[in-house]
Structures are given as C-alpha cells and as structure tokens.
Amino acid sequence: MKLIILRDNLKLGLDTVARAVGQNLNLPILGNVLISTEGNQIRLAATNLELAITKIISGKVVEEGSVTAPHQILASIVTNSTSERINIETTKQGNLILKGDNYESNIQSSGPEEFPVISGVSERKEAVSVDSAVLREGLTRAVIASEASDLRPEISGVLLLGEINVLKLVATDSFRLAEVRISGQQFKNNLGEGFKFTIPLKTAQELTRILKDEGKASFYTEKNQFLFKTEDTTLTSRLIEGSFPDYEAIIPKEIDTEVLVSRNELSQALKLSGAFASRTHDVRLKLKDKKVLEIYSSDNAVGENNYLIPAKINGPETEAVFNWRYLLDGLKGGSTEQVFLGLNGSERPAVIKNPEDESYLYILMPIKA
Amino acid sequence: MTNEELWQTVLSELELQISRPNFLTWLKNSRLVEKTEGTSLIALPNNFAREWVELKYHKLILGSIRNLDGSTKKVEYVVEGALIKRSERRSVTLKPATEGQLSFQEMKVDPITNLNPRYTLDSFVVGSFNEFAHSATSAVIQKVGVKYNPLFIYGGVGLGKTHLIQAAGNEIKNVYKNAVRVRYVTSEKFTSDVVSAIRNRRMEDVKKNYRDVDVLIIDDIQFIGGKPATEEEFFHTFNTLHENSKQVIISSDRPPKAIPTLEGRLRSRFEGGMIVDISFPDYETRLAIIKTKLQERTASLEDKIIDLIARKAQRNIREIEGILNKLIFHQSTYKQALNLSMADKIITEVTEQSVTKASPSQILKAVAGFFEISPTDLVGRARNKEFVEPRQITMYLFREMLKMSYPDIANKVGKRDHTTAIYAYKKINEIAARNPDLSQKLLMIKETVNKPG
C-alpha cells in the first residue's frame, strides 16, 4: 500500500474515528485504526465493539492495500507534524512507514485480518434522512437531560421516536426530561413505518461531533444495530436493550401557573443566584403580584440573594425550589427571546418551552424543600 | 445432553483451537438458544461478535456440534445484548448533590412489567369490604392462569383496585422469581398504543407487547368501551392469552354488564371468569387504613384526630390519603402537634372541596348520563320505573350535595310538590344505607359531577 495524504486531511480522519478506538486488554488490535483503500478512496476505521466509525478522506492512492496501526502513535505523529504532505507506505516486513519532510517513522503494524469486521452502512432507500445541522442541533438539545448510568441502562441514551410526520428525540435522567421535535419538512422517513429505538448516550454525543453544518445524514436499524451515514462518515452502534419508559405519561397535562419571561434575563438571574445556592444547587422561584418572578437563594456560609425579574404571569401565585443548573439547561434548549415557564406547585413537574411552538419541551422536577 | 451442556462442550473444544484473547472477546458470553429441525441457534453479545464468529469460526463450530449431535445440519447466529455481564451494575450510588431532588414518579415503574413496586400485598389493608377480592387475588397468585381466569375486580374510585391488581403483579413477579412474565397496562395506555400502532403501521409491536406475556393486568377497562379498534385488538389479545391459559386480571369501576359501550362478546368473556367487587370500608377498616398509612410514612397523629378522620372521610381511601398528606404537612411545617379544631378544619376543607363546584344542571346531566335517559325525561311526568329511581336520586343529590331546600328541589325537578322531594330524599337515604349497589351508583354519579370540565 502506498498513499500520499495532506496532513490536515489525515488529522481530520484520525480525530473523527478517535472516540471509537477501543482499549481492550484481551484484544489490543482494537486500539488500532484500519487504513484501507477502495479504488482511489482512503478509508479509516476504528471500533471498540460497541461503536464503530469509518471516515473517507481524500488523498492519492499510489498502490492499493490495507493495514492497521495503533491510533495513538499515528495521532501523535500527525498532530506534531509540520509537513504539509505525509507519505504512507507498507513494507514487506509488515511495518508501516510514515514520511514527512524531515522525519521518517517506522511503525509496528498488523494486517487487517485480525481486525473486527465493521458492517457496511449501505446506501439504501429504506432509511430515515434528515438535515445534518437539524439533527445535530436536536441531539445537542436532547442530550442535556441525559446522564450515563449503569443503574438505569434503559434511559442512559436518546430515544428516537419516528412517527409519520414528526421525529422526536427524547432523553431523561429521571429528574428532568427533554423532548425535541423535528417536523416533517426537515426529515424524511422512507422506512415505510414508524420506529422507536434508543441509542446509547455516547453514540448520540459522537453523532453531534460527526454531524456538520451542511448536507444530509441518514440512518436505519438492523439486527439490534444502529447504522448511520453522512457523505464521508459512517457510524454503527449497538442499540440499548430494554424499553424506554412511557415518557408521555410524564408530560403534565395541565399547567397551574403560566409565566412568560425573557430567556436571557432568567438565565443571567440563575447564574447570579447560583453563586448563593447551597450544595444542592437549590434556588427558590416565587411569583408575586402577577408581574414579578423572584429568585431567592441562600447558603449559610455565603449569604443570600434576591433577584427580581419582570414577567407575565397567568394563574395562581406559587413557589417551588429547583436545581438552578437543571433550570439553566432547560433554557439552553431554545433560542426564542421569551421563554415559557409552566409551574405546578412545589412537588409536581415544571415545564419549559418556547412560547409559540412545540419544537422543544423540557420537564423538570422540583427539589423538595 | 441439554443445550447448555452441549454448548459448554463445544466451547471447551473451541478454546483449544483459537487464541485465548479471541476466545474471551468473541465467544465467552455466548449461548445455544435452541435446536430445532437440524438448526442450532447461537446467541452472541453484539453484532461484531456475530459477524466475526460467522466469518471465522463457523466451520469449527458446525464441525464440533455435529460431532456431538449428528442431527444438526445448520448453525445460525443472533445478537442478544443481555449476554453482556453487567457486574458493575447496582454498585453506583446516587450522588449526594441530588438530595431532596424529586424524580419522575413514572420512572420508578419497572420498565418491563410497568408495575410500581410501591404497591405490595402487605400494605393492602383487608376488611369485610374487600375480603373477597383479596382472597380471589391470592388464589390467582397461587395458581396463575388456572384458578380464576379472567379475574375481574370492580369498585368505586379510590378504593384500592389499582393497589390490589398491581400488588398481585408484584407478588407474582416475586413468588415466581421472574419466571412468569407480568405486564400491567392501563386501558388508556393500551388505547394509545393501538392508535399509534395503527398510525405508524406497527401493529405487530402491540401484538408482541401484550400477547407475549404470562399475566396481563389491565386497569380501568371501562375506558376501552366505545373504541372499536381498541376493543377488537383487546378481544384478540384476550382470546390468545385465555386460550393459552395465561392469566388476565381486569379492573373496572363497574361490573361488565354496567359498561354500556362494551361489546357483547367482550362482556360475555369477562363474565366467564371470576367477578369480585370492592365496596366501601367501614369505620373500623378506615381506622386500620389510616394507621397503616401513618406507619408507611413514619408519622404519628393523636388518636382523637385519627378517629375524626375515620368518621369524616367516608367517600374513599384516596380522600383519606389526601387528608393525611395535609395534616402531616401541617405538622411538619409548624413543628407542633395539631389540635383537634385545626385538624377538623383541614379535614372539612378536603371533604367539602369537591362539592362546592357542583351545580343543579351538572347533577341533572350526570344522572341522565349515568342512566342513559334524556334530561327532559328525568324531570318529566312519566312514571315508568326507569325514570322514577333516577328522578329520586336527582332529588337526593340536590339535597345532599347542594343543600337545596325541598321546595326548591321539587321546583327544579319538574315543578313537583315539596313533599315528593322529602319522600325521595328519605327513601334514597334509607336504601343507600342498606344497599351497597345503590350507594355505589350514587358515588359514581358524584364522581362525574365533581370531575372538572
């Protein structure tokens, strides 16, 4: 095998597959990245047996072939290389030689035979296709509410729920829940049926890194596997076993007190008040005189703070205590100037959403005072 | 040789032929799922293992299975994620920062069975009013699917139906150590599953979900009445389960024959099993319930106050729960024991809260709706049997719920004489005291009146 690749392209490729590189004492080859050629394309691949990522990078294929070498070594060479072009070559002894303008590395490599088979993501019609930027945005907003947990494996991921004209992304850590809706214009379901499956949190986070500002992404599932592709990258991942809880039951059917407030002001207020919150990050939200939202926090060792924000309030006056970080997370899910806050007393879930549309919903349980 | 032994033998042969790292990575967490008609089905923990084993070790595996078991001609592979051992599970404890942070109630529910572990048989207080239902349930737990199938439990709101059937599910799960697959569902959820399955063309999901169980528990069945597609699906689900001696436990707020919109074929099937009712707890049982609930909450109240609650909260157990919540909250906020008059005020607040919303026209509508007659007939002149009782009930409820005067009542109900109203009130009052059937009807009507919207 003989390749000439621009340093930046190789770096991009190695970075993309980096998080799928495995550390397995039984099978050290999982720490390697597979470099292979397909016609005049160069493909990098890595897997940790839960997740596999492949990336096609551009470069010149002088002689076809394939080889695996430790990702760590390749990455440090490429990161520190000042040469614009890097020559890659395999020797007859089975070593890999990387050549820059002023260095030549000889790396112990191994053949592709022992590397796990990464199932190809086919270019097929029966898939869901969605704008890359929209999916990235949606996943970013959903994973806020998720938490990796061995205790509750069935919720440590993002639920993808496809209905005929809406794609819902849902995540929860049992204290809060985020639901992002991607509407029919922004995605296309060619599976011929609805779908419902949960991808691991790590896979979701990886997708937000892979997805770009432009272009389309598509995905489908097959035999307990999630298969995803963009123009030059593919990702396959296991699915989470066990069913995601019936989250619709959590969404409050009615809201006692509706509050409209400036998103920016509330988020500033929470950050400031957060400095006075105690170890449990608790701040008290209190509604007054139909037009003021008061945020109070205190800590024995620090002192106390009172923050008043003008608000439009509809419904009975109420108060509740929340984790201010969780509240702030909920505000990050939208970008409208105003934010809708629905309070349901001190023991039932509160709702945060955009005032006009249903594209984002964040539900949060209070802290018991 | 059992499948397990066979596979163990195969594995120990393979272990000699492939390198240790490869064996540990690819084959350690595998099992032989089944052997049918010459095909052996091998489960592997992930897709990578499946592809790898199929590609590299298929011949080895097929060869060594055939050596041991000549009938095998083919080996197939599936992925079974549960094979990955999660030894580290349960070792994680909640971070201290989540102290006091409430979590979604619904999340405490077991995702597979849908049961809430909070409901147990131990915390179910048995009295004369629910003895029968309790013993029928116990019999079902001992002989799942055989003894009473279906078991149909009915009774008014807040009397512990859900508690009893969920407790039955939890108990079955514990007794049979998960060997019996239990699934609990409210009829509302069942309906929404059917609707979304139809919309998303995934009917097989519903079939798989509800037919692939040993015990199906369905709550508030009365709500599926009048929804043809859901009834149809439930009918087939029911038949499949029943034919295979799978246990079905159903709850409802009224007996099958009193659910007017329920299809005949479903009704007759429900009536084919055991029908038991839960009526209202008497004073002594209410006392026992209050004490149990206090114990659950590790709170205490004076005996005098407990007695007061038991005397005043006559409607249902949920009301008792509401009162207790308020009293305990009051006690913990003000950090002092309650006095009797304060407690009385709080109790009255709860018990009378719902009554204030009612209006005469709401009651008329509720009664007419319940007996399925028109409001005009209800206040009309006809003295057919089907109108007389509802009419008397209306007058009774006017008096009872709205404290209206007799002349006023008589005037509202078809401009009658006030003595008619007095007679009706007394009569219904008297019968209701003796006849649990009537008192249950009254309660159900009151529920509809008090329901918001």
Side-chain angles (χ1 to χ4, degrees):
Chain A
M1 188 180 77
K2 206 169 173 184
L3 313 167
I4 305 167
I5 311 174
L6 286 181
R7 180 237 174 220
D8 290 352
N9 286 342
L10 185 54
K11 181 166 191 321
L12 178 70
L14 288 171
D15 286 350
T16 307
V17 301
R19 269 171 240 265
V21 174
Q23 283 177 318
N24 190 320
L25 289 177
N26 286 330
L27 211 62
I29 199 166
L30 295 182
N32 285 10
V33 51
L34 171 69
I35 307 171
S36 58
T37 56
E38 276 168 26
N40 52 5
Q41 286 190 319
I42 302 162
R43 186 163 159 266
L44 302 184
T47 178
N48 55 16
L49 301 187
E50 292 217 335
L51 186 70
I53 301 177
T54 73
K55 164 101 181 160
I56 291 177
I57 54 175
S58 47
K60 186 170 168 58
V61 179
V62 181
E63 192 188 306
E64 289 195 41
S66 59
V67 68
T68 79
H71 182 272
Q72 203 197 339
I73 300 286
L74 293 176
S76 15
I77 294 173
V78 173
T79 311
N80 298 311
S81 168
T82 48
S83 316
E84 205 180 306
R85 293 142 67 95
I86 297 176
N87 293 296
I88 298 178
E89 209 174 315
T90 47
T91 66
K92 290 212 173 65
Q93 290 76 35
N95 281 5
L96 183 68
I97 294 176
L98 254 70
K99 242 189 280 184
D101 294 340
N102 41 15
Y103 63 88
E104 180 174 325
S105 331
N106 191 328
I107 306 167
Q108 305 236 334
S109 62
S110 48
E113 302 78 27
E114 288 298 306
F115 200 78
V117 183
I118 296 173
S119 47
V121 183
S122 58
E123 189 78 56
R124 61 178 214 176
K125 260 215 192 115
E126 298 79 27
V128 180
S129 98
V130 54
D131 286 341
S132 291
V134 170
L135 184 60
R136 183 183 60 189
E137 181 71 21
L139 284 170
T140 312
R141 287 152 79 195
V143 293
I144 289 176
S146 181
E147 190 188 46
S149 149
D150 286 329
L151 269 174
R152 304 286 311 267
E154 72 278 2
I155 60 167
S156 60
V158 176
L159 172 73
L160 276 74
L161 182 64
E163 290 169 4
I164 290 300
N165 46 19
V166 62
L167 168 62
K168 296 179 186 168
L169 310 173
V170 186
T172 178
D173 63 1
S174 87
F175 306 122
R176 61 239 173 96
L177 179 141
E179 183 208 69
V180 175
R181 291 184 184 207
I182 295 175
S183 71
Q185 293 92 13
Q186 290 164 312
F187 88 107
K188 206 165 161 63
N189 179 356
N190 292 325
L191 295 173
E193 57 177 24
F195 56 87
K196 183 178 183 178
F197 56 85
T198 312
I199 57 173
L201 179 57
K202 213 176 156 213
T203 302
Q205 286 166 334
E206 208 43 54
L207 286 176
T208 61
R209 292 190 191 99
I210 290 174
L211 287 159
K212 305 252 179 46
D213 292 334
E214 281 163 21
K216 292 260 182 209
S218 66
F219 61 81
Y220 58 91
T221 61
E222 199 175 71
K223 292 183 190 138
N224 286 340
Q225 232 189 166
F226 173 69
L227 300 105
F228 168 91
K229 84 190 290 289
T230 65
E231 278 107 53
D232 56 6
T233 310
T234 73
L235 177 147
T236 55
S237 152
R238 71 183 173 94
L239 291 176
I240 286 190
E241 303 262 324
S243 52
F244 201 85
D246 173 27
Y247 84 93
E248 311 252 350
I250 293 167
I251 300 174
K253 306 263 179 312
E254 41 204 56
I255 285 163
D256 290 354
T257 310
E258 303 177 337
V259 183
L260 265 185
V261 59
S262 151
R263 189 185 297 269
N264 198 19
E265 261 183 88
L266 181 55
S267 117
Q268 289 302 330
L270 287 171
K271 286 179 197 158
L272 193 153
S273 307
F276 291 86
S278 73
R279 205 168 43 90
T280 55
H281 309 300
D282 55 323
V283 297
R284 178 181 299 271
L285 265 57
K286 198 171 175 179
L287 302 171
K288 275 175 147 178
D289 309 328
K290 297 271 171 211
K291 56 184 187 223
V292 178
L293 170 63
E294 179 188 275
I295 300 169
Y296 174 80
S297 53
S298 71
D299 181 76
N300 290 343
V302 184
E304 58 176 2
N305 184 68
N306 228 342
Y307 200 122
L308 303 176
I309 318 176
K312 265 191 216 142
I313 297 166
N314 185 12
E317 290 183 358
T318 181
E319 57 177 89
V321 181
F322 294 98
N323 181 327
W324 68 272
R325 289 166 191 259
Y326 287 177
L327 270 179
L328 199 60
D329 283 346
L331 295 181
K332 287 179 197 153
S335 49
T336 49
E337 204 268 312
Q338 296 270 305
V339 63
F340 174 96
L341 183 64
L343 295 177
N344 287 313
S346 59
E347 286 182 23
R348 281 174 301 131
V351 172
I352 295 175
K353 57 180 190 178
N354 297 340
E356 300 297 333
D357 64 75
E358 301 288 316
S359 64
Y360 186 73
L361 181 67
Y362 185 86
I363 304 167
L364 170 62
M365 285 300 282
I367 292 175
K368 198 163 183 171
Chain B
M1 205 187 299
T2 66
N3 285 355
E4 209 165 300
E5 286 163 359
L6 173 68
W7 188 237
Q8 272 315 316
T9 324
V10 172
L11 283 183
S12 41
E13 263 179 44
L14 289 170
E15 204 170 357
L16 300 173
Q17 297 177 57
I18 49 186
S19 74
R20 179 119 192 104
N22 274 321
F23 180 79
L24 289 177
T25 315
W26 306 119
L27 285 165
K28 208 179 106 211
N29 295 324
S30 60
R31 73 184 185 100
L32 180 61
V33 186
E34 55 175 16
K35 248 175 25 201
T36 42
E37 294 164 25
T39 304
S40 292
L41 192 65
I42 313 289
L44 295 159
N46 59 46
N47 225 19
F48 293 100
R50 187 180 63 85
E51 298 228 11
W52 193 257
V53 168
E54 207 166 353
L55 195 74
K56 305 260 172 170
Y57 309 132
H58 179 68
K59 275 198 184 132
L60 280 176
I61 292 173
L62 182 64
S64 68
I65 292 184
R66 290 195 60 160
N67 274 343
L68 297 161
D69 176 271
S71 67
T72 300
K73 296 196 177 53
K74 238 166 69 185
V75 178
E76 285 176 0
Y77 306 89
V78 288
V79 176
E80 207 173 273
L83 288 171
I84 304 167
K85 301 272 182 315
R86 297 199 183 269
S87 50
E88 67 276 69
R89 259 182 93 171
R90 307 274 163 228
S91 61
V92 196
T93 44
L94 281 182
K95 281 172 269 165
T98 53
E99 219 174 85
Q101 171 70 52
L102 299 171
S103 60
F104 296 122
Q105 273 302 318
E106 292 79 358
M107 292 278 177
K108 297 208 178 91
V109 166
D110 185 323
I112 298 160
T113 60
N114 270 331
L115 290 165
N116 189 331
R118 191 165 68 95
Y119 295 110
T120 62
L121 267 193
D122 292 337
S123 61
F124 190 78
V125 179
V126 185
S128 59
F129 71 111
N130 60 12
E131 215 175 357
F132 195 35
H134 180 260
S135 56
T137 311
S138 306
V140 163
I141 294 169
Q142 271 160 27
K143 291 189 173 162
V144 175
V146 193
K147 189 89 181 198
Y148 305 124
N149 200 6
L151 175 64
F152 191 104
I153 298 172
Y154 73 92
V157 173
L159 294 175
K161 295 186 302 283
T162 301
H163 186 150
L164 185 59
I165 61 175
Q166 287 231 22
N170 280 323
E171 190 74 15
I172 290 172
K173 214 177 80 183
N174 293 339
V175 170
Y176 299 94
K177 303 260 181 300
N178 295 328
V180 176
R181 292 160 304 167
V182 183
R183 180 151 297 135
Y184 167 88
V185 65
T186 58
S187 70
E188 196 186 357
K189 170 88 173 94
F190 187 82
T191 309
S192 83
D193 277 4
V194 170
V195 170
S196 96
I198 292 172
R199 205 175 45 198
N200 294 309
R201 286 168 242 156
R202 291 189 69 104
M203 217 46 212
E204 69 277 20
D205 282 5
V206 173
K207 293 198 197 324
K208 191 170 147 260
N209 245 330
Y210 295 111
R211 293 186 192 179
D212 211 11
V213 295
D214 300 307
V215 180
L216 180 67
I217 304 172
I218 180 152
D219 205 353
D220 283 331
I221 194 79
Q222 72 274 9
F223 291 124
I224 77 160
K227 294 167 185 150
T230 309
E231 276 193 76
E232 169 96 24
E233 186 52 39
F234 185 73
F235 176 74
H236 293 307
T237 302
F238 183 93
N239 279 350
T240 311
L241 293 173
H242 198 257
E243 273 161 23
N244 293 308
S245 305
K246 308 293 187 193
Q247 181 71 45
V248 180
I249 303 175
I250 302 165
S251 89
S252 164
D253 66 350
R254 60 197 96 162
K257 62 174 186 298
I259 309 173
T261 44
L262 197 67
E263 259 190 80
R265 54 182 180 169
L266 264 181
R267 186 174 310 157
S268 70
R269 267 168 183 77
F270 293 165
E271 283 164 353
M274 172 66 134
I275 300 183
V276 291
D277 76 318
I278 297 184
S279 55
F280 305 100
D282 48 27
Y283 169 79
E284 287 80 6
T285 321
R286 290 202 292 269
L287 218 52
I289 290 169
I290 297 168
K291 285 186 178 153
T292 320
K293 296 227 179 266
L294 282 173
Q295 224 166 34
E296 271 169 31
R297 262 163 252 227
T298 56
S300 62
L301 287 172
E302 270 179 64
D303 282 350
K304 268 189 276 174
I305 297 180
I306 296 178
D307 168 76
L308 189 70
I309 307 170
R311 272 191 290 118
K312 284 217 160 187
Q314 296 181 343
R315 255 186 305 183
N316 62 44
I317 299 171
R318 202 166 294 152
E319 190 178 77
I320 294 181
E321 193 139 353
I323 293 173
L324 286 180
N325 277 342
K326 280 210 163 174
L327 292 177
I328 293 169
F329 176 74
H330 198 274
Q331 218 168 21
S332 67
T333 340
Y334 297 99
K335 303 232 168 20
Q336 55 177 11
L338 280 158
N339 59 33
L340 207 55
S341 66
M342 194 62 217
D344 187 37
K345 213 178 126 204
I346 293 172
I347 296 169
T348 320
E349 243 171 56
V350 176
T351 50
E352 285 193 350
Q353 186 181 41
S354 42
V355 180
T356 50
K357 274 187 277 177
S359 73
S361 65
Q362 264 174 313
I363 294 180
L364 268 180
K365 228 167 50 194
V367 176
F370 184 83
F371 290 101
E372 296 189 301
I373 54 180
S374 80
T376 349
D377 282 337
L378 188 59
V379 298
R381 290 276 141 207
R383 281 200 231 156
N384 309 11
K385 192 163 172 267
E386 71 236 61
F387 302 135
V388 173
E389 195 193 47
R391 195 173 292 146
Q392 287 173 337
I393 287 177
T394 313
M395 293 194 258
Y396 169 83
L397 289 175
F398 277 174
R399 181 75 186 168
E400 161 99 0
M401 297 179 79
L402 306 176
K403 314 257 178 314
M404 283 163 67
S405 71
Y406 288 121
D408 212 12
I409 294 172
N411 192 35
K412 276 253 160 25
V413 185
K415 298 202 169 44
R416 291 181 155 75
D417 193 70
H418 77 277
T419 52
T420 317
I422 297 175
Y423 171 75
Y425 176 76
K426 283 197 176 145
K427 187 183 163 201
I428 296 293
N429 202 9
E430 196 181 301
I431 301 176
R434 288 186 278 112
N435 182 346
D437 251 18
L438 180 67
S439 59
Q440 182 144 350
K441 276 184 201 162
L442 290 175
L443 223 99
M444 268 149 62
I445 299 170
K446 280 189 206 168
E447 286 299 333
T448 6
V449 174
N450 289 332
K451 218 174 272 167

